[in-house]
Every structure is written in structure tokens, then in C-alpha cells.
Amino acid sequence: MFSYSTSFFLSLLFFSVTLSHVVGDKIFTGTYGVNYGRIADNLPSPESVVTLLKASKIRNIRIYDADHQVLSAFKGSGIGIIIGLPNEFLRDISQGEDRAMNWIKENVQQFLPGTRIRGIAVGNEILGGGDMGLWQVLLPAAKNVYTALSRLNLAHQIQVSSPHSEAVFANSYPPSACTFRDDVLPFMKPLLQFFSQIGTPFYINAYPFLAYKNDPQHIDINYALFKKNAGIYDAKTKLHYDNMFMAQIDAAYAALEKVGFEKMEVIVSETGWASRGDDNEAGATVKNAKTYNKNLKKLLLKKKGTPYRPKMVVRAYIFALFNENLKPGPTSERNFGLFKPDGSIAYDIGFTGLTSSATSTFLSFKGIGSLCFMVSTSCAAFLLLVAL
């Protein structure tokens, strides 16, 4: 059992200030990452996923738990991973540092250094959600996780964060007018204070698709898809926006600035576009998903900032790697994948995938065994080169 020491925690915060930039640089390689959700019964094995990510040169992923099979499969891959501390664990972890210590030893420490665990997302979309009990335990849980990491000398390499949905904002149009909801702010501000002290960015799940789906009559789909359009003009900042994605990020910067955290970086923890949806889900087509994700990829590879924060390079995790056929909710929820379960591309945005008409490839599925390929000599040579 570990007793919580205020003086010890304050010393950790002082030490963390000198390390915040070091940790930040290690968390995200480049600007492009992908969310690897697994609420499905037809996905490739984690070993196959590693091969797929390497072939696609994707170097950053997020998962929503700390699955041991996944973490073992990624050993030696060099791919940076943010793991998730699921919402259902927050109440327990908030009770004491010893609970966090046990969780980290079981789900993090034993996989280091082989698996590049670079962050722990404490909960997902807690503030603004329906369970206000979780609002109250989010900060204590995050503090306990950070303190446990520090005692294990891991806080300098593993970042503690918590991603938010757009529900934390009272409004976001125009971007400069964005503010946090009044009921969220009493919980958000101390969380931001803590994350500011330990060098953690603000993570936001930003979906132009959802905004368009909810109001297709008043939102130009070209504005949502990065296509040519008139855009919007923010009179306060005198800035022009030709796509909603950048406007959503700058809205988050504006909200942060209003509560005193103008220097905090914003990272998009989820964004994507559904390739299929119900009849009432406007815009959910393969064509639009391809357009959004292809244009977003191009934007991120430019390594530029937003109109309001031009020096803060935009970084984002795309949702998602695969369609997840067991996810509840509308049809769109099961159709955000960039790849099909066999490793082939869902649509072409510049990735080659692991299968094509010229290559016969077999990917093992969960519970079947290790990865097995039947490939041509040239394809095998290519995969070997990618792995090196």
C-alpha cells in the first residue's frame, strides 16, 4: 500500500515541468496516427495488425484498453501506443495510488521497454457525458496514475491524458466564440491545471462528419470535406477557415485561452468519416469517407498549424483502423474503418494494405494462431524491407 503524500506530489509536479517537452516529443512521431478499436469478431490478429501498420508506415496508434495480446504483439515494432484506462475502472483507480500502481504494474510496466507505450488515456469522453459520478473521479484517477508512474520512474516517458468530446463546449461557432459549458467548467479547469503542470496537451475528438450529419441543411459538405468552398470568416480574429476540421481545433484553442491555458497544445484524439450509415445519416458514403480521409492525410503531412495557432503543428489520430461490426448504435458507428478485416484497403487514400489482386495473402484471425502469409517473392521482399 502507498500513502498519498502532498509534498511528494508537489515535488513530482516541479520535476515534471522540466520534462514536459521531452515527453511530448516522444508521444507522437510525426503528425499522423490511427485508433485501433476492436469491438468486432472478424478482425485480424494483433500480429497481423502490426504488419499492416508497418506496411502503411503508420507509427502512432491508440487503443481503448490495455489488452495483453495486443501489447505483446507490438513488442519490438517501434510503433508508439497510447493505451486506455477504461471508464469502468476510474472509480476504483481514484480511490488510491495503490490501485493505480497495481494496474500499471500489471498492464504497463511488464511490457516495457519492448512495447513503446507512450501514454495512458484515463477514461474517454468523461466530461460532458451522462455519468456525472465519473466527472468527479476523473481528476483523482489521473493524479493517482501519474503519481504511480512517477514512483516507477516512468512519468518521463509515459504521458497521462484524457480525451474529450465536443460536448464539453457550450458553443463552437465561430471558433473565437467557443467556451466550455458552465456545468463542465468546475471539473475541466482543475483538470487543465493538472495537465498543464505535467505537460499534457488537450485531446479532443473532433468530427466534421457528426456536425454535418446533424445539420446538413446549414453546413456545406465541401467545407466539411476539405473541398473548395467559400469557407467562414471569424470577425473577431479576422481569420478565414476553408475547412471545419481546422475551425474545430481553433475553437478548442479559443476555449482554452478563455480559462487561462493559451499555451496548451491541442491534439485531435479521434476524427474520421463513416463510409456507410442509416437513411437519416447524411453524408455517410464511401466517396465522402475517401475524400475526407485522403484530404486530411495530405493536410497532416504538411506539418502546419491552424489559422489561430500557426506555429502549433496539427496532429491527429484517425478513427479508425477497421470497421467494428459489433459496435452498438447507428450504422455509421460500425463503418469508420480505413481497412477491411483481410488487410486490404476499404478505399484508396494512399495506403497499399496487405492484399491486392496480384497478391494472395492470408491473415490469421483472433483465436486461430500466428500470422501466415502466402506471398510472391517480390511482396515478401517488400515486407522485409518495411520491417527493417
Side-chain angles (χ1 to χ4, degrees), residues 29-329:
T29 303
T31 57
Y32 191 92
V34 176
N35 288 276
Y36 173 23
R38 305 187 320 283
I39 306 176
D41 61 5
N42 61 348
L43 299 185
S45 70
E47 291 79 11
S48 303
V49 171
V50 170
T51 304
L52 174 62
L53 292 170
K54 283 187 173 183
S56 302
K57 298 182 180 179
I58 295 171
R59 297 177 289 175
N60 310 281
I61 69 160
R62 295 177 69 245
I63 60 176
Y64 294 89
D65 53 19
D67 184 86
H68 288 195
Q69 185 183 3
V70 172
L71 295 178
S72 296
F74 276 78
K75 182 179 181 180
S77 69
I79 297 169
I81 305 175
I82 292 182
I83 65 173
L85 177 62
N87 295 0
E88 59 265 28
F89 288 92
L90 296 193
R91 288 182 173 86
D92 181 60
I93 297 296
S94 72
Q95 295 301 309
E97 183 204 324
D98 59 311
R99 313 281 181 94
M101 180 68 74
N102 292 338
W103 191 89
I104 290 169
K105 285 183 175 180
E106 179 182 352
N107 298 292
V108 179
Q109 189 179 36
Q110 68 165 314
F111 297 100
L112 302 173
T115 302
R116 294 186 73 240
I117 299 174
R118 289 296 178 251
I120 300 174
V122 180
N124 185 50
E125 298 188 342
I126 298 297
L127 301 184
D131 189 343
M132 292 197 67
L134 291 181
W135 297 21
Q136 297 174 352
V137 300
L138 177 57
L139 179 56
K143 285 184 174 180
N144 285 338
V145 169
Y146 177 78
T147 304
L149 286 171
S150 296
R151 288 189 181 275
L152 294 171
N153 294 317
L154 297 174
H156 66 288
Q157 68 185 66
I158 298 176
Q159 183 188 82
V160 179
S161 63
S162 187
H164 306 287
S165 74
E166 294 279 339
V168 299
F169 301 129
N171 63 293
S172 58
Y173 180 85
S176 64
C178 186
T179 58
F180 289 109
R181 278 169 39 184
D182 289 342
D183 59 335
V184 167
L185 196 54
F187 300 92
M188 179 65 79
K189 195 164 184 179
L191 183 69
L192 292 174
Q193 182 64 39
F194 171 62
F195 283 156
S196 177
Q197 290 170 328
I198 66 173
T200 294
F202 182 82
Y203 283 84
I204 184 70
N205 297 340
Y207 285 92
F209 165 70
L210 296 180
Y212 176 77
K213 184 188 77 166
N214 292 332
D215 192 10
Q217 289 79 23
H218 298 100
I219 296 176
D220 183 351
I221 193 168
N222 292 324
Y223 178 62
L225 293 174
F226 305 96
K227 296 177 72 175
K228 187 176 181 180
N229 68 96
I232 68 164
Y233 177 73
D234 191 323
K236 181 178 180 181
T237 59
K238 296 180 172 58
L239 294 172
H240 180 266
Y241 293 87
D242 60 11
N243 68 82
M244 187 186 294
F245 178 74
M246 287 294 202
Q248 288 181 325
I249 297 174
D250 273 352
Y253 276 123
L256 290 169
E257 185 176 300
K258 288 182 177 70
V259 292
F261 298 96
E262 64 277 357
K263 294 182 179 180
M264 183 173 283
E265 180 185 7
V266 173
I267 292 180
V268 177
S269 38
E270 290 182 19
T271 189
W273 197 284
S275 60
R276 185 180 169 210
D278 296 320
D279 291 340
N280 63 345
E281 294 189 286
T285 67
V286 171
K287 181 181 179 180
N288 288 341
K290 174 182 176 179
T291 300
Y292 181 83
N293 283 302
K294 188 172 186 177
N295 288 337
L296 175 61
K297 185 183 176 190
K298 288 180 180 178
L299 182 150
L300 293 173
L301 292 179
K302 291 179 181 178
K303 299 182 179 180
K304 293 184 178 180
T306 66
Y308 194 54
R309 289 284 188 269
K311 295 182 179 180
M312 299 287 275
V313 175
V314 176
R315 297 188 255 192
Y317 290 89
I318 313 310
F319 189 87
L321 193 59
F322 299 107
N323 289 340
E324 297 174 77
N325 68 341
L326 298 182
K327 287 195 76 173

